[in-house]
Amino acid sequence: MAAEPIFEHEIAFDPAQAADALRQLPAGPAVVGLFGHSATDRPHLMKSANVRRRLQRLLEPAEGQTKRLNLRDRIARIAWREAGSEFESLLLLYRAMHLAFGADEARKRMRLSPPFTIRFAAENAYPRIYVTNHLRRRSLQTTFGPFASRLAAERYCEAVEELFLIRRCYMELHPSVDDPGCIYGEMKKCMAPCQKRCTDAEYSAECEQVLAFLKTRGGSRIAALEAERDEASAAMEFEQAAAVHGRIAKVKAAAAFADELVQPLSELKAVLVMPCPSRADDDAPHVAVWSFADGCFRGPERVSLLGVRLVKEQAEVGSSLFAQPMMLAATPLEGGAAAAGGSSSGSAEERMLAAVTRLFDGSGGAKDMTELGDQLALLKRWYYRPEKQRVGAIFFPARGEWPVRKMVRAAGKLVAPVEAVAKAE
């Protein structure tokens, strides 16, 4: 949990001067706390895309008889903190509720529950995979997720089981030739270790392939099959190559059930680029950068886009290039932030990489599995929204490096619509 205070602004509220108080509130996204006259009163916490309009409904005099909630006679103080995106509002509201009501009450009020994952039971003598939403610290390395829903996790689990011959039963096995087995063994979809149809080494080798498939979201299996297909083609065995090509298509169809977010929970790292509220002293548009690592969000870090030509600006000058933010060299001004080595110094890529480095150099993570489940639930709630409703961009490391240039391009696209609105006003 963040040690800094949640709310940045606070005003007293007098029902007789409600209009004057409401005019001080921002007409944009923010997290709000309404506090009563007594210190023992529990605050009313909420988030809204337009705080002023939302509080007008709650604090202005009601017209006629209505069942709409009205709090004007119960509120003494209004505190708020502006947010640049729905994602930031969600995190701020969770932190505010956590501090005000405790973890259990905050989880209940926000309807958070651990997301569903797929666990590879490596501790068992005969491993299997299964869907669960119970998180265990000792098995995070072999737990893969989060998925959008239980149905999505089950579809992926079933697709993986169709590709390999691991067992699907949940009983504790005591292999014996007299074991009756199951239908999957009769259908040749299981190696049937319960009936000793395979050796322990053979079953372990099959399980290693399953684990590699889950860690790479099918990449390991696809690479092996593509090598086999190319070898068959080189040997003029075209029928075999065609058969292997069909298997590749089947593997790709199974891998498609897992989104890029589905990774081993112990290795899940991501950077999120979001809009952020503007400040009076900003010399250029800014974006907010968040990180997710060790089961916990960190941030935000404000990154200046000084030196980045936005998509809107390219259209105004009639650029024939693709509609992507262009990297321009920032010219330091005497006495300016760039000359002083402030937040606008260096190129946009350097500033973005420095912000990401600071976020991941920070210490701390999820204290327990309950907090980890909450953080994953918040990430899942934002990530699995429809693409048109999901504001912001998420990035994952590729071969140990962050795609910094892609981050800057995404930041430029986020800021360009905001700049267009500001110019119109």
Side-chain angles (χ1 to χ4, degrees):
M1 298 304 299
E4 64 178 9
I6 298 299
F7 302 110
E8 295 179 335
H9 309 281
E10 182 176 328
I11 59 174
F13 178 75
D14 183 2
Q17 300 178 353
D20 295 336
L22 292 174
R23 275 195 293 268
Q24 301 182 47
L25 300 175
V31 174
V32 184
L34 304 179
F35 298 87
H37 298 274
S38 173
T40 59
D41 293 341
R42 308 185 77 180
H44 183 78
L45 303 176
M46 61 182 176
K47 64 180 180 66
S48 176
N50 190 320
V51 176
R52 184 185 302 169
R53 183 174 58 192
R54 177 73 178 274
L55 291 189
Q56 284 175 348
R57 300 175 182 176
L58 294 175
L59 302 179
E60 285 187 342
E63 297 181 0
Q65 294 182 353
T66 177
K67 294 183 179 180
R68 178 182 296 176
L69 177 65
N70 193 290
L71 302 175
R72 59 182 285 108
D73 296 327
R74 304 179 184 179
I75 301 304
R77 295 181 295 118
I78 303 175
W80 73 90
R81 178 170 179 170
E82 294 186 61
S85 62
E86 175 68 17
F87 169 79
E88 186 174 359
S89 297
L90 192 66
L91 281 186
L92 290 175
L93 181 61
Y94 171 76
R95 292 175 179 176
M97 286 191 173
H98 194 285
L99 292 176
F101 310 124
D104 294 337
E105 184 69 15
R107 192 175 305 112
K108 181 179 179 180
R109 286 172 176 258
M110 297 190 66
R111 299 179 181 179
L112 298 178
S113 59
F116 283 94
T117 60
I118 290 180
R119 180 179 298 165
F120 179 86
E123 68 278 1
N124 196 285
Y126 300 93
R128 64 185 182 97
I129 59 175
Y130 60 98
V131 175
T132 180
N133 65 341
H134 296 286
L135 302 176
R136 300 178 181 176
R137 187 175 297 276
R138 64 182 181 182
S139 58
L140 289 181
Q141 295 181 350
T142 55
T143 302
F144 303 86
F147 288 88
S149 63
R150 179 172 185 169
L151 179 60
E154 289 177 345
R155 285 177 176 174
Y156 185 52
C157 185
E158 292 174 359
V160 175
E161 289 175 334
E162 288 292 326
L163 298 176
F164 299 94
L165 301 177
I166 60 172
R167 71 186 184 102
R168 309 187 189 192
C169 54
Y170 57 87
M171 294 84 69
E172 188 68 28
L173 296 187
H174 301 283
S176 172
V177 293
D178 298 328
D179 193 286
C182 66
I183 187 62
Y184 294 106
E186 297 299 327
M187 296 170 62
K188 307 301 182 182
K189 291 186 175 182
C190 176
M191 300 182 72
C194 57
Q195 296 178 322
K196 291 188 175 182
R197 294 188 189 177
C198 63
T199 64
D200 292 349
E202 292 172 341
Y203 190 81
S204 297
E206 187 76 2
C207 290
E208 289 177 1
Q209 295 185 34
V210 174
L211 187 58
F213 183 97
L214 293 173
K215 287 183 176 180
T216 60
R217 296 191 307 278
S220 61
R221 187 68 169 174
I222 293 173
L225 291 175
E226 286 179 346
E228 183 179 349
R229 180 193 59 188
D230 295 342
E231 183 179 352
S233 298
M236 300 296 183
E237 298 176 356
F238 299 113
E239 292 184 359
Q240 181 180 354
V244 176
H245 186 76
R247 292 167 60 190
I248 293 176
K250 186 177 180 180
V251 172
K252 289 183 177 180
F257 286 112
D259 205 277
E260 192 174 7
L261 183 64
V262 176
Q263 300 181 23
L265 296 186
S266 62
E267 303 174 9
L268 181 56
K269 294 183 179 181
V271 169
L272 294 88
V273 180
M274 299 286 172
C276 68
S278 60
R279 297 176 181 174
D281 58 344
D282 285 344
D283 56 351
H286 285 68
V287 292
V289 180
W290 301 74
S291 69
F292 183 88
D294 301 325
C296 187
F297 285 104
R298 299 188 185 95
E301 285 278 347
R302 286 171 54 88
V303 177
S304 171
L305 297 184
L306 181 66
V308 178
R309 176 172 290 179
L310 307 180
V311 177
K312 179 66 177 179
E313 296 174 355
Q314 293 183 50
E316 290 176 349
V317 299
S319 174
S320 61
L321 299 176
F322 294 103
Q324 298 287 344
M326 296 175 59
M327 302 300 109
L328 302 179
T331 303
L333 301 177
E334 294 183 3
S343 61
S344 299
S345 60
S347 65
E349 292 95 334
E350 292 173 348
R351 295 192 294 271
M352 182 67 72
L353 182 58
V356 172
T357 302
R358 288 193 297 270
L359 288 171
F360 284 95
D361 284 346
S363 59
K367 298 178 181 178
D368 50 36
M369 294 299 96
T370 302
E371 183 179 352
L372 173 61
D374 291 345
Q375 300 289 320
L376 288 174
L378 292 170
L379 177 61
K380 184 203 76 171
R381 182 172 295 183
W382 171 82
Y383 183 86
Y384 286 110
R385 287 185 175 184
E387 187 175 355
K388 293 183 179 180
Q389 300 179 12
R390 192 177 73 184
V391 178
I394 186 170
F395 300 92
F396 302 95
R399 300 180 181 88
E401 298 182 356
W402 294 100
V404 180
R405 180 169 289 271
K406 290 183 179 180
M407 294 180 187
V408 175
R409 289 177 179 175
K413 291 180 180 179
L414 288 174
V415 174
V418 178
E419 291 293 299
V421 172
K423 291 180 180 179
E425 296 177 350

